Amino acid sequence: MADPMRIRATLQGDVADVRVLMSHPMETGQRKDASGNVVPLHFIHSITAQLNGKTVFEASTTQAISRNPVFAFKVKGAKAGDKLSITWEDNKGDKRTDEITLGG
Amino acid sequence: MKRRNIVCAAALGAALGATPVAAQDTDTTTAEFEKFRAVMEEANPAELFELKGEELWRTRRGPKNASLEKCDLGLGPGVVKGAYVQTPRYFPDVGRVMDIEARVVHCMITLQGFTYEELAKQPFSTETRTPDVVSIVTFIAAQSKGMKFDAPQSNAQEREAYELGKAIFFHRAGAWDLSCASCHGADGKRIRTQQLPNFTNPQQAARGVLGWPGYRMTGGVMHTLQWRMNDCFRQQRFPEPKYVSEAITALLTYLTVNANGTVYKGPGIKR
């Protein structure tokens, strides 16, 4: 199973500044292992963020993104106590969702 | 002097014949890189290893199905806060000085029943595998964030480790007759664009231990100071040191004691 994400959000007025760290190998499909075999493609292809169940951020990503990627974005109309959940899905069908409650 | 600088450059496989330049010539490069590092520090993937390490610290594992929560890192069983900046230190139960990684390995053997052989088989991170010890050390280190380095020198063994570390630092050997001090014993040295801190200069001494354990952006791997020492030995063409050996602990004692008083900023990020 995939390792948890690290989500941080700071509220400034009604804008939440979100930063998320994901644990993922993000293999490009072009790297070879020690015995010379190609390491198969393995990358996150979509990221979704929801605020209280409503989608506020969507991204399609490729293998060009680094290993253990970091994403930062701002969400308008957020307030303390709101639930922010982030989900990623990769090309092998692995999924991971983590949720935080926005602080005061 | 010039000859030795060139040998340092070659140790990283850099182009031979590059003329060593003074520090001020590369200051702009360094300043630009520092900006980049500042951005990366706000979201350092090292945090992912902290999380993993914390889970490993609390989970019952190994043949003895025990957690590491009874592990004594020098401040009492289970006390993690402040332990990183107060090691290496003398541990009476084993009668030797240990750095944090050596102590974690000791605890994994004694409390959890792992063997030294399995832990020492592939002790350092690769692009596809991060040893548990590395994540655990990262977790422990993060609990000393904002505290000052305070490696003790309160008994004969700790002072002996310091002296031994100092002797190793200045000992020239190997195929290229290098010592640690060949590259880290004078101001303004560099390897390619990397400025090298001078550990004999009190103002720069802390740069040897700050930012470790570090997440290396190249390859995306987490590394500890044990790895750093091991890799310096490799670059010097020294024989490979035994994992968590007394020699490396001694070297780390020398470097950490010299950094005493500097505030530790937590696990760092490397180029």
Side-chain angles (χ1 to χ4, degrees):
Chain A
M1 201 193 68
D3 288 330
M5 287 176 239
R6 187 94 161 100
I7 308 171
R8 280 226 179 96
T10 46
L11 271 176
Q12 280 194 324
D14 70 338
V15 178
D17 199 339
V18 183
R19 231 169 241 282
V20 54
L21 260 167
M22 299 167 187
S23 182
H24 199 280
M26 296 299 284
E27 285 295 348
T28 62
Q30 302 198 30
R31 223 168 52 80
K32 286 179 179 169
D33 65 16
S35 41
N37 302 314
V38 171
V39 183
L41 260 177
H42 187 199
F43 66 100
I44 293 173
H45 63 57
S46 70
I47 301 165
T48 315
Q50 294 192 320
L51 191 70
N52 298 326
K54 183 178 159 251
T55 302
V56 290
F57 173 91
E58 272 182 306
S60 295
T61 51
T62 69
Q63 69 273 34
I65 309 282
S66 80
R67 173 171 296 149
N68 299 327
V70 177
F71 286 89
F73 53 90
K74 289 180 180 174
V75 181
K76 254 189 177 173
K79 59 182 185 307
D82 282 357
K83 300 230 183 289
L84 178 81
S85 78
I86 297 175
T87 304
W88 59 251
E89 191 174 341
D90 71 18
N91 66 322
K92 289 188 179 172
D94 273 350
K95 256 183 159 177
R96 171 93 205 179
T97 302
D98 286 281
E99 185 180 85
I100 59 159
T101 304
L102 298 183
Chain B
M1 211 53 202
K2 191 177 169 192
R3 193 193 128 259
R4 263 210 269 162
N5 273 329
I6 291 171
V7 172
C8 287
L12 265 191
L16 270 168
T19 319
V21 290
Q24 53 267 33
D25 294 339
T26 48
D27 269 1
T28 36
T29 322
T30 309
E32 284 304 308
F33 185 73
E34 286 306 321
K35 273 190 221 164
F36 175 51
R37 190 175 357 227
V39 172
M40 287 304 294
E41 266 175 1
E42 289 174 32
N44 187 349
E47 285 183 34
L48 297 169
F49 297 89
E50 266 179 63
L51 283 177
K52 182 95 190 149
E54 182 171 13
E55 187 195 321
L56 289 166
W57 177 264
R58 300 189 197 291
T59 310
R60 291 162 167 270
R61 298 164 65 238
K64 292 189 185 170
N65 193 32
S67 82
L68 288 169
E69 288 167 303
K70 290 213 171 69
C71 180
D72 184 352
L73 300 170
L75 306 176
V79 181
V80 178
K81 195 173 171 58
Y84 187 78
V85 288
Q86 293 181 57
T87 47
R89 66 161 58 230
Y90 176 69
F91 288 91
D93 59 340
V94 284
R96 61 167 276 211
V97 175
M98 285 176 152
D99 59 273
I100 203 79
E101 191 161 346
R103 191 62 182 176
V104 169
V105 167
H106 169 79
C107 285
M108 286 175 77
I109 295 167
T110 53
L111 297 174
Q112 298 185 312
F114 291 105
T115 66
Y116 173 80
E117 287 66 30
E118 58 189 316
L119 295 174
K121 203 174 164 197
Q122 275 192 309
F124 305 122
S125 302
T126 65
E127 286 173 341
T128 49
R129 180 180 167 274
T130 306
D132 293 341
V133 181
V134 172
S135 300
I136 294 166
V137 168
T138 307
F139 159 66
I140 296 168
Q143 312 312 308
S144 284
K145 197 173 178 173
M147 301 170 88
K148 284 182 179 172
F149 280 105
D150 190 16
Q153 285 282 280
S154 52
N155 53 50
Q157 290 89 345
E158 285 163 358
R159 287 189 289 271
E160 191 195 358
Y162 179 89
E163 290 305 324
L164 183 61
K166 190 176 179 180
I168 295 171
F169 186 82
F170 289 100
H171 181 69
R172 288 173 62 165
W176 287 342
D177 197 26
L178 288 166
S179 71
C180 304
S182 305
C183 297
H184 292 288
D187 287 349
K189 298 231 179 191
R190 65 177 179 90
I191 293 176
R192 292 191 278 184
T193 59
Q194 284 279 296
Q195 297 272 321
L196 301 176
N198 172 8
F199 298 141
T200 61
N201 177 339
Q203 263 94 51
Q204 296 175 35
R207 285 177 56 194
V209 284
L210 282 174
W212 293 101
Y215 181 80
R216 194 159 228 183
M217 285 180 264
T218 314
V221 284
M222 194 72 211
H223 282 311
T224 62
L225 270 171
Q226 281 284 338
W227 171 84
R228 181 63 270 173
M229 297 302 116
N230 199 80
D231 207 53
C232 278
F233 272 37
R234 181 187 65 78
Q235 289 171 339
Q236 290 176 84
R237 308 300 190 266
F238 276 16
E240 189 175 354
K242 211 176 124 191
Y243 181 51
V244 295
S245 69
E246 276 187 75
I248 300 297
T249 297
L251 200 46
L252 290 176
T253 307
Y254 174 69
L255 294 175
T256 313
V257 170
N258 287 348
N260 274 354
T262 308
V263 174
Y264 175 60
K265 295 186 208 144
I269 193 148
K270 307 279 171 189
R271 69 192 155 82

